[in-house]
């Protein structure tokens, strides 16, 4: 804790003063650019990664960047998503997985989470991920590649789940919201984005289309 | 989104290279200093506030830094807390509220969240906060002071809720875990911590005791 | 009841004997062509509509052809879908709404279901439908057109929800399952199917593509 | 799918025109004779079995014709039953099991559903059935007879469960609703009904009483 307290002291005496104006303005309200859903993992810093300042990213973080489908539980995920879309009028949601994810590791190796009932229970919302990997990639035995694939598939599965949230479904159908699927490989600094036209994750610069996919609702009459 | 993509490019060409060694080492595993539970609010950046680097803070963020009590729902909060304590052997948990919190504003003004059923449902886990404020501070009518008090009381209420999680309760009883209640006033850069010996929130430097262990409700004003 | 008992007698003495061979063969097992998800409404007869014989359609029927997302409740919908895909190896799932649907009428007019708590509770799984219609089609005031639109949008919403079921997600990603969205207008005998290339419901004969949309999972390596 | 599309075309050009008047009249509303609860099994066609026309049977179908007791889950079963009784003023409810039921087979052989967590979870609502068979019929070892008995007992168990639904309980107590327990042996076309005066299932013609009202468990063999 001492290190954190000292860090705060350092923040107050240096960075804060450089951004004091910004912070004072932000007291009047926030207008973030996006909702960023990512893992609780300590190695991920969404603001550092995107070089964003306070006020720019609304951030939901839980172990494994998992989004339970709507109606399954009314916990933080549903409330945070609804608040972002309805109260803050967010136009972009990014679901960002990452390399070396411990939650995804636990999904592939259930015995590793046997002693953690809440984790085990939460991972049922990634059961689609587990089955996609298990059933479709039997021949992929290299553990590192298998984990990478799991992280990628999980981003797509959680995007599906995100669509079941009414605030998201309604905004998608108004074409006022876009969904994005990313994977951050922190050890190289690379970010990959799902490109639906190629049906694969590509380097962020190479994507021909930044959307996870098009809206499937009927057009306004 | 363009701004975020450009930010990532900037990160890759500047900050990443300065920390490349650190990121490569972190691929072997994380050993964070603490679990930091805070709000999804875009104005809060826990890493900036504590001047911590990747690998140092395991972070749970949902609207209102609310922690549903154990057993009520098996969603991200329970799993993330359990993973932090059991798998990562975390020794300190900070629940950090903040000034101008929209979720706490919604708690005081239920009609503001009437159109957001998931938010409304989530705020029931802060119902103790609402009742403490409503029943004990009737004479406190200034809206700004009332919101500040609500943010403070809510940190204490969520700390209680945190104690209902078995992994937390067991580690507390082994004296291997400490809980901390903070409020970050972002417009001034100040951080207040709950000091149980004084039974109030004090400036982080003035606290005689960083733990939030003893009796935990604020006295009536 | 007398009418039903007489109907059974008539069945036994006429239709049954014409299909006796078929029924005897079916005692060895079922290999249905598709899972047909539709409303409990008495005016809908999936076998009559598709002119299918016993053994050809596995049928899930509840009020409003609603599919709660996976993990929300473990009731008949999840079990029936899983059994169809996993045990019966179903390759096509049709979600079929219909004209004059009372459940969708209740969704648009909540006071009509106020005295039916279980119905009201179930309709929360069509909350996305309600919001899409309410938020995007404010100017569409004709009640009949509004109901038709609601029935169509609900088929798309329930298809999204269907994708959150792990057995469905895994089979979609293996490209061994196709999802179809239909609306049956029983008073004219017409069937409309969602055509994603046109982003609208078209007469079943005119569809250029019978799929509700393409798989979004990564391809097998 | 091609077969279904062709079937619809055939329906439109032949059967529909014969019933066009009926379908047009039904657009004004439905007044079904009964709520028919049966299995999703493709070999069962309730309209064919009872020779009923569109508008005559309100139909709830899930795997195993299982009815979770009220309050356990708010899913399709509770909503459909409530809608039938409260909105449609249904006077008769039939729970109809059938021969060669895969869900009941899974109940007797849990390892068969081990890979289907949603099915396994749903079968807990037939746990009474399983225990009645296991504890009272130890000596009945012939698998075919054991499955037939299980199907029969399950109809009685689900009738009990149906009674826990408030709309049903209230209508029963007003004597405005009757419950019926049937088993359809599709390979012979026979239908058996539970006769409480004999405490057994008898051929539909032989029943002295079509109600399943009094004591409801079968005696030990």
């Amino acid at each position: 804790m001492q290190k954190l307290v000292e860090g705060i002291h350092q923040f107050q005496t240096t960075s804060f003063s450089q951004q004091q104006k910004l912070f004072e303005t932000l007291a009047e309200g926030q207008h973030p650019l996006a909702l960023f859903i990512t893992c609780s993992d300590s190695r991920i810093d969404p603001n550092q990664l995107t070089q964003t300042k306070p006020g720019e990213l609304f951030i939901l973080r839980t172990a494994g960047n998992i989004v339970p489908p709507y109606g399954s539980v009314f916990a933080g995920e549903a409330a945070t998503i609804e608040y972002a879309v309805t109260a803050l009028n967010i136009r972009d949601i990014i679901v960002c997985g990452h390399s070396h994810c411990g939650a995804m590791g636990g999904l592939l190796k259930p015995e590793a989470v046997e002693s953690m009932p809440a984790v085990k229970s939460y991972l049922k919302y990634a059961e689609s991920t587990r089955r996609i990997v298990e059933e479709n990639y039997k021949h992929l035995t290299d553990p590192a590649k298998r984990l990478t694939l799991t992280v990628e598939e999980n981003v797509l599965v959680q995007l599906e789940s995100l669509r079941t949230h009414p605030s998201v479904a309604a905004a998608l159908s108004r074409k006022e919201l876009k969904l994005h699927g990313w994977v951050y490989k922190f050890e190289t600094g690379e970010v990959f984005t799902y490109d639906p036209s190629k049906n694969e994750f590509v380097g962020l610069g190479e994507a021909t289309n930044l959307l996870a996919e098009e809206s499937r609702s009927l057009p306004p009459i």
Side-chain angles (χ1 to χ4, degrees), chain A:
Chain A
M1 283 302 289
Q2 199 46 41
K3 187 171 187 321
L4 299 186
V5 174
E6 285 166 13
I8 289 173
H9 188 66
Q10 188 190 326
F11 164 71
Q12 290 165 336
T13 52
T14 59
S15 334
F16 176 73
S17 46
Q18 292 159 26
Q19 297 192 305
Q20 187 162 357
K21 265 268 153 60
L22 170 63
F23 278 117
E24 285 167 10
T25 309
L26 286 173
E28 288 158 32
Q30 62 177 324
H31 306 284
L33 302 169
L35 165 59
F36 199 96
I37 301 177
T38 195
C39 186
S40 289
D41 194 295
S42 63
R43 297 166 291 187
I44 311 309
D45 179 346
N47 291 113
Q48 180 198 48
L49 173 62
T50 58
Q51 300 281 300
T52 42
K53 290 197 288 288
E56 296 187 332
L57 282 190
F58 198 71
I59 299 174
L60 170 62
R61 297 185 72 167
T62 66
N65 44 272
I66 284 170
V67 178
Y70 190 74
S72 51
V73 286
F74 281 102
E77 299 87 345
T80 306
I81 292 162
E82 186 181 71
Y83 190 83
V85 176
T86 306
L88 299 178
N89 204 19
I90 284 282
R91 298 303 178 97
D92 289 280
I93 303 181
I94 298 138
V95 174
C96 183
H98 67 93
S99 54
H100 301 280
C101 180
M104 290 304 104
L107 189 67
L108 293 181
K109 214 175 148 185
E111 65 276 19
V113 297
E114 202 50 61
S115 64
M116 293 184 273
V119 172
K120 197 176 161 189
S121 181
Y122 194 48
L123 287 178
K124 84 176 175 203
Y125 297 117
E127 173 67 9
S128 289
T129 306
R130 196 189 64 72
R131 288 192 59 172
I132 289 170
V133 173
E134 185 179 292
E135 297 179 13
N136 300 4
Y137 300 92
K138 289 206 171 94
H139 55 294
L140 185 68
T141 51
D142 177 68
K145 283 188 184 157
R146 208 168 169 79
L147 181 56
T148 300
L149 175 79
T150 304
V151 168
E152 290 180 354
E153 289 287 0
N154 190 52
V155 165
L156 300 182
V157 162
Q158 304 309 326
L159 283 168
E160 292 294 344
S161 192
L162 193 54
R163 292 168 177 283
T164 66
H165 289 252
S167 56
V168 171
L172 280 174
S173 125
R174 286 193 308 270
K175 301 199 182 302
E176 290 180 8
L177 180 65
K178 289 170 186 166
L179 306 186
H180 312 268
W182 289 4
V183 171
Y184 172 32
K185 190 174 179 181
F186 66 78
E187 67 271 38
T188 63
E190 291 168 291
V191 175
F192 301 91
T193 183
Y194 179 67
D195 182 339
S197 66
K198 296 183 178 165
N199 195 25
E200 59 184 11
F201 280 83
V202 299
L204 196 56
E206 310 155 42
T208 56
N209 184 340
L210 289 169
L211 308 185
E213 91 260 36
E214 299 305 319
S215 160
R216 263 162 291 146
S217 273
L218 303 182
I221 287 170

